[in-house]
Amino acid sequence: MPSDVGVQVAKDLLVRLGSAISVVQGATQALKEDQAPWRAALDRCVQQLDILDLWKGARLCR
């Protein structure tokens, strides 16, 4: 799930920065509208900007 990855990346960043800020995961899916158009737009943007590599090496904090 994108929200799983996002929260883990945020936690990893804060650990690397030595910050004690808490990160709480939000909803795992859209609450009121179809998530497919948003997901497609976000994925298209990542591909167009060629930024998928930004997620490589992100450590999972559990």
Side-chain angles (χ1 to χ4, degrees):
M1 291 265 150
S3 62
D4 295 332
V5 173
V7 77
Q8 295 305 324
V9 169
K11 286 180 179 181
D12 179 52
L13 175 62
L14 292 172
V15 166
R16 291 178 190 218
L17 293 173
S19 176
I21 298 172
S22 297
V23 177
V24 178
Q25 183 173 347
T28 59
Q29 62 184 16
L31 300 178
K32 291 193 171 201
E33 57 189 351
D34 182 10
Q35 65 185 9
W38 288 105
R39 182 75 261 153
L42 290 171
D43 290 344
R44 191 169 41 255
C45 184
V46 167
Q47 291 171 348
Q48 289 173 347
L49 296 174
D50 194 27
I51 57 175
L52 188 59
D53 286 346
L54 293 177
W55 299 103
K56 287 185 181 175
R59 295 178 290 187
L60 296 180
C61 306
R62 302 245 180 223

